[in-house]
Amino acid sequence: MGFARACSVALVGVEGVVVEVQADLEPGVAAFTLVGLPDKSLVESRDRVRAAVVNSGAEWPQKKLTVGLSPASVPKSGSGFDLAVACAVLGAAERIDPAMVADVVMIGELGLDGRVRPVRGVLPAVLAAAEAGYEQVVVPEQTAGEAALVPGVSVLGVRSLRQLIAVLCDEPVPEEPADGQGRPDAMLAGLMIPGTGLGTGLAPAAARGDGHRPDLADVAGQLRPRQALEVAAAGGHHLLLSGPPGAGKTMLAERLSAVLPPLTRQESLEVTAVHSVAGILPPGEPLVSRAPYCAPHHSATMQSLVGGGNGIPRPGAVSLAHRGVLFLDEAPEFSGKALDALRQPLESGHVVVARAAGVVRLPARFLMVLAANPCPCGRHTLTGAGCECPPSVVRRYQARLSGPLLDRVDLRVEVEPVDRADLLGQGGRGESTEVVAARVRDARARAAERLADTPWTTNSEVSGHELRTRLLMAPGALAAAERDLERGILTARGLDRVLRVAWTVADLRGADRPDASDVAVALELRTGIQRGVPMGAGER
């Protein structure tokens, strides 16, 4: 009787569980049994592995073969276990030394010809293996760069099972011919889910064509919304842009991700892990270094926004926008159920999706931008534009954005129509993205220095208790905010968010702490009521 084991990783959401793949050979009628709660794609690995082993020049054992996946209580799905199953079987058959594969984590799908095909979720799988104490990982050659992002792990990228057998047996490694040039690599098809290309709102529209990146200097006029955009980027505050069609709401939102500072190493790993599991990680770019931008269509369901699907839930739009921007254009056209599902991730920074197959926790710390028209026709706020919407229709349309959702939005700005002088460039071009992004980086650096001994990095994450007890403002700065709280204009949550925005405004102008004018700016951005203060974020 022969026995051998190898290791692989089962993904549950964006978290991995190390699975021990055990192979047992005993005398009897030749059969292949796979146990351990596999799904349909994993059950089919029996035929893939057998064909790959035979076509790689190894002999398939003609005995009773049982392959167990432990722990058996964890659901396992996907084809990434093929490589570990093949090596465990070959170890039990003594084609390779069982000790060579006992503590090696193997991730990859096998083709019938023995080639190792890439799979999604390599980065979170290798992260789980490293946390479990494993130091050696074998992955497909195409995803070796993604696996190498994890420190302290030795990564071996292989192109075929034949090459892996040669490495494990200390034999000459055969050369595998590369695919022909001038056509897409078919091996990379396993990394991308069909329909998740650039056309699904995962990048600003202007960045999908000839390489031109959206620039804030392209926006004509709109001084107040531009300043609100800068405050949102500096503090991570959620933003509502309301105004008639054609005023520039979408243009502003598409330029927000470029204003955000580059991701830190830890944030890049978090974002890359989510995108790898979702199947939207571009081949050849193993690490996401820029803040992502996700703009789902208003027909999106609740499951597509917060995560879901059959079996183990998959990341939704809020997770794809983790550490970046989630833009909901025509926000009132989204279903109320989908919009209200955003309340919990807006507060906690993660989504907990419960299904019969298990409970999954997905990261979802994003900056939300809502764009809305004042009425169904969009002309309600325009003088002499001929809006024919009855008052009841206008009220019903505006009520689609519920009060609890809007209470979590820090900045609410009215986007006015562009006048002729600004549109024709007579008023001069506005500041470029590069200039605004530099101020945002400086403001975030001040906030990070102030919050160095806390679990927070941006002003939008600071708790209300901390704002009221330790991070004190200038004397008398809160007088106007306290009056609004007594009048019912602000809720308790709204007051905390005004304090956070005030700290961001102070950071943008380089002040040590907010004063009454900073609080007035924050109140105007929160309530829309004019306070008689200049709105310049970077200067007074």
Side-chain angles (χ1 to χ4, degrees), residues 179-188:
D179 289 340
Q181 301 297 324
R183 58 188 174 91
D185 188 357
M187 296 288 284
L188 297 177

Side-chain angles (χ1 to χ4, degrees), residues 247-440:
K249 302 186 294 294
T250 303
M251 285 187 67
L252 288 164
E254 288 182 342
R255 284 147 180 80
L256 178 56
S257 61
V259 177
L260 295 175
L263 301 178
T264 64
R265 176 73 177 186
Q266 180 60 34
E267 292 172 346
S268 294
L269 290 176
E270 294 175 6
V271 174
T272 303
V274 175
H275 287 202
S276 179
V277 170
I280 61 173
L281 192 64
E285 298 180 18
L287 186 65
V288 179
S289 59
R290 299 293 304 175
Y293 171 90
C294 187
H297 191 259
H298 62 256
S299 61
T301 61
M302 183 185 71
Q303 289 77 12
S304 66
L305 281 180
V306 300
N310 297 327
I312 298 297
R314 300 184 63 85
V318 296
S319 297
L320 300 182
H322 180 60
R323 302 294 181 184
V325 177
L326 176 68
F327 176 46
L328 302 183
D329 199 5
E330 304 293 346
E333 300 295 341
F334 283 78
S335 70
K337 187 177 180 181
L339 289 175
D340 289 337
L342 299 176
R343 298 184 197 173
Q344 185 250 349
L346 286 174
E347 287 290 325
S348 63
H350 62 266
V351 175
V352 178
V353 183
R355 295 290 185 270
V359 179
V360 174
R361 186 179 186 272
L362 302 170
R365 186 167 297 282
F366 55 91
L367 198 165
M368 182 180 68
V369 180
L370 303 174
N373 294 327
C375 67
C377 74
R379 300 190 297 269
H380 179 66
T381 57
L382 298 179
T383 304
C387 175
E388 299 179 354
C389 300
S392 59
V393 174
V394 175
R395 288 194 301 269
R396 188 161 54 247
Y397 184 80
Q398 295 178 350
R400 293 181 182 178
L401 298 179
S402 64
L405 177 64
L406 291 179
D407 198 36
R408 291 165 167 83
V409 178
D410 303 342
L411 313 174
R412 307 172 190 177
V413 181
E414 189 75 25
V415 183
E416 302 290 345
V418 183
D419 57 28
R420 183 181 62 181
D422 289 332
L423 191 60
L424 298 179
Q426 298 174 6
R429 288 169 60 88
E431 291 180 319
S432 66
T433 296
E434 185 178 357
V435 174
V436 177
R439 282 204 302 268
V440 169

Side-chain angles (χ1 to χ4, degrees), residues 516-531:
S517 61
D518 296 323
V519 175
V521 171
L523 284 170
E524 183 170 336
L525 290 172
R526 171 79 182 183
T527 63
I529 301 174
Q530 298 292 330
R531 306 282 170 164

Side-chain angles (χ1 to χ4, degrees), residues 499-534:
L499 301 183
R500 295 168 183 166
V501 175
W503 274 104
T504 301
V505 175
D507 288 336
L508 282 169
R509 67 182 182 91
D512 293 334
R513 57 178 179 173
D515 56 18
S517 61
D518 296 323
V519 175
V521 171
L523 284 170
E524 183 170 336
L525 290 172
R526 171 79 182 183
T527 63
I529 301 174
Q530 298 292 330
R531 306 282 170 164
V533 293

Side-chain angles (χ1 to χ4, degrees), residues 225-238:
R226 286 170 59 98
Q227 292 162 343
L229 207 72
E230 184 175 343
V231 173
H237 306 289
H238 306 303

